[in-house]
Amino acid sequence: MKLEVLDIKGNYTNRIIQFNEKFFSEKSYDHSIYLEIKRYLSAQRQGTHKSKERGDISGSRKKLHRQKGTGGSRKGDIKNPLFRGGGRIFGPRPRDYSLKINKLTKNLARKNIIEHKLKMNQVKIIEDFQLEKPKTKFILNILKSLQLINEKSLMIVEKTNRNLHLSARNLKNFKLLNAEELNSYFLLNYSYIILSENSVKRIKKFLNVS
């Protein structure tokens, strides 16, 4: 498959980026995509949840009253989980939610999503550009020229910098990443992918399909 490179005004530049047969497969890797999305979302969890158990609560350990003869139920100390303010039974504890999957599975998932976007004509390639100062209107004009102003768009450049980050961070339904931050969650979450010319080379090398 061949895609023409566009300039920042949406005009053709007479340059072509080619995706060879290594990028395409007759097989779908839905389960690999599922595992990679699950891994990414799990890694976002801080795992700092904690509830107080009996041993974490201050208070007397003395039995409240004698076992029998009061006409009431049997009770232990004031930290009993059945009392208001008592310790919680089997409450959450801090833990690490991160999952591990192998590199091949990650690459299969990313490659499979990009392949699907290519087949659906949801990938656009633009020439590389630089910003001398933060300017959100510059990014907006690129989206307008590509007719993606009302679409969820993910832009991937070879390398981000502070000016690019500040220009893109307040735009609705838009995300800016560098090639090394490429992950299946954002590829799947955004309808269109905008690739800078040099980022394509990095992604091909990254996915071992160059």
Side-chain angles (χ1 to χ4, degrees), residues 1 19-30 32-33 104 107-119 207 209:
M1 181 179 287
F19 295 88
N20 59 29
E21 65 278 358
K22 289 184 179 180
F23 231 103
F24 300 93
S25 172
E26 296 179 359
K27 185 178 178 181
S28 180
Y29 294 95
D30 292 345
S32 296
I33 295 173
L104 176 62
N107 286 345
L108 279 175
R110 286 178 281 214
K111 186 163 68 67
N112 205 226
I113 297 172
I114 295 175
E115 174 191 344
H116 176 74
K117 299 282 189 182
L118 285 168
K119 290 179 179 178
L207 298 179
V209 290

Side-chain angles (χ1 to χ4, degrees), residues 50-57 79-83 85-93:
K50 177 71 171 71
S51 64
K52 289 186 177 181
E53 300 179 358
R54 293 185 74 151
D56 301 318
I57 296 175
K79 296 188 283 185
N80 191 323
L82 299 178
F83 293 158
R88 184 171 178 181
I89 306 173
F90 304 126
R93 296 180 177 181

Side-chain angles (χ1 to χ4, degrees), residues 117-192:
K117 299 282 189 182
L118 285 168
K119 290 179 179 178
M120 297 295 292
N121 293 321
Q122 293 177 323
V123 177
K124 296 184 182 294
I125 301 177
I126 61 172
E127 64 182 3
D128 297 292
F129 59 89
Q130 294 293 331
L131 280 177
E132 296 181 357
K133 60 181 180 179
K135 197 169 185 180
T136 302
K137 191 174 182 180
F138 180 84
I139 304 295
L140 273 176
N141 288 335
I142 293 178
L143 294 176
K144 287 179 181 177
S145 65
L146 298 176
Q147 298 180 352
L148 298 177
I149 193 68
N150 295 319
E151 303 287 350
K152 288 188 70 173
S153 304
L154 172 67
M155 180 180 287
I156 301 172
V157 296
E158 182 184 20
K159 188 176 181 180
T160 57
N161 55 44
R162 187 172 185 274
N163 290 340
L164 274 175
H165 171 72
L166 293 176
S167 300
R169 65 178 180 176
N170 289 330
L171 291 176
K172 187 179 179 181
N173 294 328
F174 180 81
K175 183 75 176 178
L176 178 73
L177 296 176
N178 64 51
E180 294 182 357
E181 294 174 321
L182 185 70
N183 68 72
S184 297
Y185 177 79
F186 289 119
L187 287 174
L188 203 60
N189 192 37
Y190 288 84
S191 302
Y192 287 85

